[in-house]
Amino acid sequence: MATGAVPASFTGLKSRDHRGLGFGKSSDFVRVSDLQRVKFGRSKVAVIRNSNNPGSETVELKPASEGSPLLVPRQKYCESIHKTVRRKTRTVMVGNVALGSEHPIRIQTMTTTDTKDIAGTVEQVMRIADQGADLVRITVQGRKEADACFEIKNSLVQKNYNIPLVADIHFAPPVAMRVAECFDKIRVNPGNFADRRAQFEQLEYTDDDYQKELEHIEKVFSPLVEKCKKYGRAMRIGTNHGSLSDRIMSYYGDSPRGMVESAFEYARICRKLDFHNFVFSMKASNPVIMVQAYRLLVAEMNVLGWDYPLHLGVTEAGEGEDGRMKSAIGIGTLLMDGLGDTIRVSLTEPPEEEIDPCRRLANLGMKTAELQKGVAPFEEKNRHYFDFQRRSGQLPVQKEGEEVDYRGVLHRDGSVLMSVSLDQLKSPELLYKSLSAKLIVGMPFKDLATVDSILLRELPSQDDKDARLALKRLIDVSMGVITPLSEQLTKPLPNALAMVTLKELSSGAHQLLPEGTRLVVSLRGDEPQEELEILKTTDATMILHHIPYSDEKTSRVHAARRLFEYLSENSLDFPVIHHIEFPKGIHRDDLVIGAGTNAGALLVDGLGDGILLESPDQEFEFLRNTSFNLLQGCRMRNTKTEYVSCPSCGRTLFDLQEISAEIRDRTSHLPGVSIAIMGCIVNGPGEMADADFGYVGGAPGKIDLYVGKTVVKRGIAMEQATDALIELIKEHGRWVDPPVEE
């Protein structure tokens, strides 16, 4: 037993004794006693009771994962685990726009013009407002830009545009003080507002050293808080994974925990000064890190009784479908848990282009919360909220006597399945190419990004020799061919996998199949437990988790979580494929956002082994690429170059969209390689943590090249910079020549 003072923000404390009790760097402590280790389920947890209020709810801490030194609260991070219920927050006013759970999810973007270009910035803000944005953020890096903000605001008001304006501040407290007099909201980055730019040095701090730095932050930050109170401004305390201070990283690591504590240092100052008109954000370019950080933030706020709204975003998401997918994975996952009050989809595109996908995401989140889509209540013990641990299903193992190799029907890093029609079988070589198979003398072979298995809802007739030969050739290269039980019974295809429902399993209809036939079980996940019991005695190669898209009441995310809980509790390790069937006429962005939200919300928790997307009127190639993008966005299967690409702003030192397109055109064939394309270094070089190589604006017309977080070449003329980047990739042995088109 131990007794001591533990900071109110106590998760993940570094232990300074052998009993697991640590002391954080916090100015507001609560007195607790009776810290003891007790058994909870299969693991030991630390139980803390508030000694000032013995009757208060027990706070339990447990390791984030087995053996992890990170302690996290068992407190909920969302209102409900079995349905989408929007998290209750206070209302924060940004000009005339209200943020919070009692209001619509607000959508916003950021200008890309030079802020000193007053006319250009005003025109862009007007275009953004005309597209329906609720807020607009403008970068304000210096005194000249701050002065321009007054003219920008006045010009917009004269033109009857009253959209709230947000100042984006890094490194410049005096600039924040100036612009707070005219803009409606100030975004401060706690990693660099009062701290110097991170040098990625491991620093040793005594308690006195740490306290002095906190006092310095309070001295620098307090005047801005007081000014925001005076003028009725709002504030966003916006942590960025790429710009944590050396002090935070030395104490908490480059981690979600560090991101939360970095923001809380500033929030405590706001609260001390009785300022509450602020929101939090926890942005990262990696959707998995971003989701973990927001969850930890909310879990800690729940412990403290805080109810501040959340601004959601995946930073440097990129362009096109890649950017939309990453944003859908990160933002959509949190919206499904009822988290988020304002969102931004960061794309390397004109800012007005961000509004439509942003609105689609917001509408999806609000509709799901309004309907409170979910499943019947269930107990959840096995999902990891705060760290990524993949539940890997048992991949197919070859059985004695089998004529074909089934080990390739699923991929260890995440599988892509596609639905194929009878019409596609009429042109076998086109089908093979559409599946991304390599062709050698017209014969298909699997490659890095080849579809793993196909679903064929209708088998060709027995006398259609050509179609059956095409399927045999796919089966021979270990591609799974899945077909409904009824088809396999009436028009059997040798070595195909039979898709069965729970009802068919219970009736024994599958026993009419030849002995040894591989089974694929299709189910909803929300069936009564007694119906799922049949799985305990079934030898299934995989499960297809499928909720009809038209089902307005059931949440496929929560149904899948319930299914995974059942599988874990019963030690069933079937691979699970997320099967989403979209309706005819769906917009491409809605499909990408729907897939990223409904499957990504599970994959970021390590729940699932692959994806099967169907849409009757979408191109086959688009569905295939979307599937692979989804797996890569969830940090699973890597089949192409990964880009961390900032969305551009007034700080950008080159034409980001043009340069990004040029780099992608020449480097997109390098799976396993990650390249950061950054208009400036304001968020980095920590933002390069997820990248192998970095292309960063260092000065007008000049580019700096990075390997990881280290700059290796400075001041390269922009005209030669892309060639220099490719040479750098070659020097590090990561280059291969592009494949030659057949």
Side-chain angles (χ1 to χ4, degrees):
M1 183 181 295
T3 302
V6 176
S9 171
F10 49 69
T11 63
L13 296 176
K14 286 197 170 182
S15 177
R16 292 186 180 266
D17 62 21
H18 298 293
R19 296 168 296 180
L21 179 62
F23 294 89
K25 310 302 178 184
S26 169
S27 58
D28 46 339
F29 287 82
V30 293
R31 177 63 57 178
V32 296
S33 62
D34 296 335
L35 175 64
Q36 51 189 322
R37 296 286 177 178
V38 299
K39 290 285 285 181
F40 188 93
R42 299 174 183 170
S43 61
K44 291 184 178 180
V45 301
V47 177
I48 300 178
R49 292 181 178 84
N50 190 327
S51 59
N52 293 328
N53 182 7
S56 65
E57 183 179 354
T58 297
V59 174
E60 296 171 352
L61 306 179
K62 68 169 189 175
S65 57
E66 192 171 346
S68 170
L70 172 67
L71 293 179
V72 296
R74 286 195 64 89
Q75 251 74 0
K76 63 186 182 183
Y77 75 89
C78 59
E79 295 295 315
S80 170
I81 64 163
H82 66 272
K83 62 182 178 180
T84 299
V85 179
R86 200 161 166 200
R87 170 180 169 261
K88 297 295 182 186
T89 75
R90 69 176 61 225
T91 292
V92 166
M93 293 303 301
V94 185
N96 58 359
V97 171
L99 293 183
S101 58
E102 301 304 312
H103 312 283
I105 295 172
R106 304 300 187 181
I107 57 181
Q108 57 178 283
T109 184
M110 187 173 185
T111 59
T112 58
T113 53
D114 182 341
T115 307
K116 297 191 298 295
D117 176 5
I118 295 166
T121 302
V122 167
E123 287 297 320
Q124 193 171 69
V125 171
M126 290 166 60
R127 290 197 300 273
I128 290 167
D130 290 342
Q131 289 295 317
D134 297 303
L135 307 166
V136 181
R137 182 158 44 114
I138 298 173
T139 187
V140 190
Q141 62 266 53
R143 183 78 185 194
K144 290 180 180 177
E145 287 81 5
D147 290 342
C149 288
F150 285 81
E151 295 187 52
I152 290 168
K153 180 73 171 180
N154 289 337
S155 181
L156 286 166
V157 170
Q158 288 169 16
K159 296 174 186 289
N160 290 318
Y161 281 83
N162 293 307
I163 185 168
L165 302 179
V166 184
D168 193 59
I169 303 292
H170 298 263
F171 302 111
V175 173
M177 292 289 288
R178 171 74 170 147
V179 80
E181 295 175 13
C182 68
F183 273 16
D184 303 281
K185 183 179 176 185
I186 309 295
R187 180 268 171 128
V188 296
N189 182 341
N192 60 32
F193 185 80
D195 286 298
R196 62 178 183 147
R197 189 192 299 280
Q199 304 299 310
F200 302 95
E201 299 169 348
Q202 185 67 34
L203 305 175
E204 292 294 328
Y205 284 93
T206 65
D207 287 350
D208 285 344
D209 292 337
Y210 206 106
Q211 189 59 37
K212 285 177 182 175
E213 293 224 7
L214 291 180
E215 289 169 2
H216 169 69
I217 291 171
E218 185 168 356
K219 181 179 179 181
V220 173
F221 183 53
S222 293
L224 178 62
V225 176
E226 295 286 13
K227 196 154 199 176
C228 287
K229 282 181 66 178
K230 176 182 175 181
Y231 283 89
R233 307 306 186 200
M235 187 182 292
R236 169 158 67 99
I237 301 174
T239 303
N240 193 297
H241 183 230
S243 55
L244 296 176
S245 67
D246 285 330
R247 174 177 47 79
I248 285 289
M249 287 192 286
S250 295
Y251 202 79
Y252 295 98
D254 183 10
S255 66
R257 183 67 193 88
M259 294 171 69
V260 172
E261 185 57 30
S262 181
F264 274 21
E265 289 178 350
Y266 281 70
R268 293 183 193 113
I269 297 168
C270 291
R271 290 175 57 83
K272 182 177 179 180
L273 297 173
D274 196 27
F275 177 71
H276 301 280
N277 201 44
F278 66 89
V279 305
F280 283 113
S281 67
M282 298 276 126
K283 293 195 179 184
S285 58
N286 180 335
V288 177
I289 295 290
M290 172 263 199
V291 167
Q292 291 168 7
Y294 276 103
R295 286 175 172 171
L296 189 56
L297 170 74
V298 175
E300 291 222 8
M301 280 204 282
N302 286 340
V303 170
L304 296 168
W306 295 3
D307 60 353
Y308 301 104
L310 300 177
H311 166 125
L312 304 185
V314 176
T315 191
E316 286 102 20
E319 64 184 7
E321 279 144 21
D322 284 0
R324 286 160 175 77
M325 178 60 78
K326 276 189 188 177
S327 293
I329 293 167
I331 298 171
T333 295
L334 296 167
L335 291 177
M336 290 300 100
D337 282 323
L339 306 181
D341 304 287
T342 177
I343 64 176
R344 186 216 172 168
V345 174
S346 299
L347 301 175
T348 310
E349 298 175 19
E352 52 267 36
E353 298 296 319
E354 294 182 356
I355 302 305
D356 183 64
C358 196
R359 182 184 294 110
R360 292 175 189 276
L361 253 177
N363 288 344
L364 177 63
M366 286 190 290
K367 181 180 178 183
T368 304
E370 185 180 322
L371 295 173
Q372 293 204 350
K373 292 180 75 168
V375 293
F378 65 97
E379 186 179 3
E380 191 173 56
K381 302 176 185 175
N382 295 283
R383 183 164 63 97
H384 295 272
Y385 310 147
F386 303 108
D387 69 334
F388 181 81
Q389 285 195 39
R390 186 177 166 201
R391 171 206 177 269
S392 293
Q394 174 62 55
L395 293 173
V397 176
Q398 199 66 12
K399 298 176 183 177
E400 188 176 349
E402 289 185 322
E403 299 174 355
V404 297
D405 188 353
Y406 286 102
R407 289 172 295 182
V409 303
L410 295 175
H411 193 284
R412 67 180 184 278
D413 295 327
S415 304
V416 170
L417 282 68
M418 293 291 293
S419 179
V420 169
S421 68
L422 283 179
D423 279 347
Q424 288 174 281
L425 288 173
K426 293 175 182 177
S427 305
E429 287 200 15
L430 286 178
L431 172 62
Y432 303 152
K433 286 183 178 180
S434 68
L435 296 170
S436 279
K438 273 190 170 180
L439 287 180
I440 301 177
V441 198
M443 300 289 286
F445 291 89
K446 278 193 168 182
D447 200 6
L448 181 71
T450 303
V451 170
D452 301 289
S453 292
I454 62 172
L455 172 62
L456 196 62
R457 294 187 182 278
E458 184 180 355
L459 283 172
S461 62
Q462 295 282 12
D463 57 1
D464 190 342
K465 304 299 183 186
D466 291 340
R468 288 188 163 248
L469 177 61
L471 292 171
K472 180 182 183 302
R473 285 176 173 166
L474 292 175
I475 291 171
D476 286 344
V477 295
S478 199
M479 183 176 291
V481 175
I482 303 167
T483 190
L485 174 64
S486 58
E487 288 291 296
Q488 192 62 2
L489 288 173
T490 56
K491 297 178 282 186
L493 177 70
N495 302 309
L497 294 87
M499 182 172 69
V500 296
T501 63
L502 291 178
K503 188 174 182 180
E504 288 168 334
L505 279 177
S506 298
S507 71
H510 64 291
Q511 294 172 5
L512 299 172
L513 293 166
E515 187 177 352
T517 299
R518 295 267 186 165
L519 298 179
V520 174
V521 181
S522 179
L523 50 76
R524 291 173 53 98
D526 63 347
E527 295 89 349
Q529 186 154 321
E530 52 270 24
E531 290 185 26
L532 295 173
E533 293 291 297
I534 190 74
L535 293 174
K536 295 179 181 178
T537 56
T538 300
D539 182 14
T541 299
M542 70 184 89
I543 288 174
L544 298 183
H545 176 250
H546 178 245
I547 299 278
Y549 201 81
S550 58
D551 191 326
E552 289 284 326
K553 294 286 182 68
T554 308
S555 161
R556 77 169 325 279
V557 171
H558 295 90
R561 286 175 180 169
R562 179 181 181 273
L563 170 64
F564 283 111
E565 193 64 35
Y566 176 84
L567 296 176
S568 295
E569 284 297 294
N570 290 281
S571 301
L572 300 174
D573 57 1
F574 304 123
V576 177
I577 304 300
H578 298 298
H579 181 191
I580 307 178
E581 202 173 348
F582 292 98
K584 189 173 183 178
I586 190 169
H587 190 281
R588 283 167 72 113
D589 277 1
D590 282 330
L591 189 148
V592 171
I593 288 167
T597 298
N598 286 292
L602 298 155
L603 296 175
V604 295
D605 283 335
L607 301 179
D609 301 274
I611 186 77
L612 166 56
L613 302 179
E614 291 190 84
S615 185
D617 51 0
Q618 293 289 351
E619 294 174 4
F620 194 86
E621 183 181 9
F622 167 69
L623 292 173
R624 185 195 71 225
N625 291 339
T626 299
S627 300
F628 279 109
N629 287 347
L630 174 56
L631 294 181
Q632 185 152 331
C634 292
R635 294 308 196 259
M636 292 175 66
R637 186 170 174 181
N638 206 312
T639 52
K640 63 180 183 180
T641 313
E642 179 76 14
Y643 296 97
V644 178
S645 179
C646 84
S648 186
C649 70
R651 294 184 179 88
T652 302
L653 297 168
F654 54 84
D655 187 327
L656 196 65
Q657 294 172 48
E658 180 183 327
I659 294 298
S660 177
E662 178 185 320
I663 292 173
R664 287 169 184 265
D665 184 57
R666 297 182 62 184
T667 63
S668 62
H669 63 288
L670 302 172
V673 173
S674 179
I675 300 173
I677 308 168
M678 315 290 279
C680 68
I681 197 60
V682 70
N683 275 342
E687 210 57 68
M688 258 72 84
D690 268 346
D692 302 306
F693 304 96
Y695 179 110
V696 181
K702 301 292 183 181
I703 301 300
D704 297 338
L705 297 182
Y706 284 72
V707 175
K709 298 177 184 176
T710 305
V711 61
V712 294
K713 295 184 180 180
R714 291 187 185 274
I716 302 169
M718 198 158 56
E719 295 75 18
Q720 287 88 47
T722 302
D723 289 335
L725 172 65
I726 291 171
E727 283 304 313
L728 188 63
I729 296 171
K730 289 179 178 178
E731 287 170 17
H732 285 78
R734 306 293 299 276
W735 180 265
V736 295
D737 289 328
V740 178
E741 284 293 323
E742 296 178 28

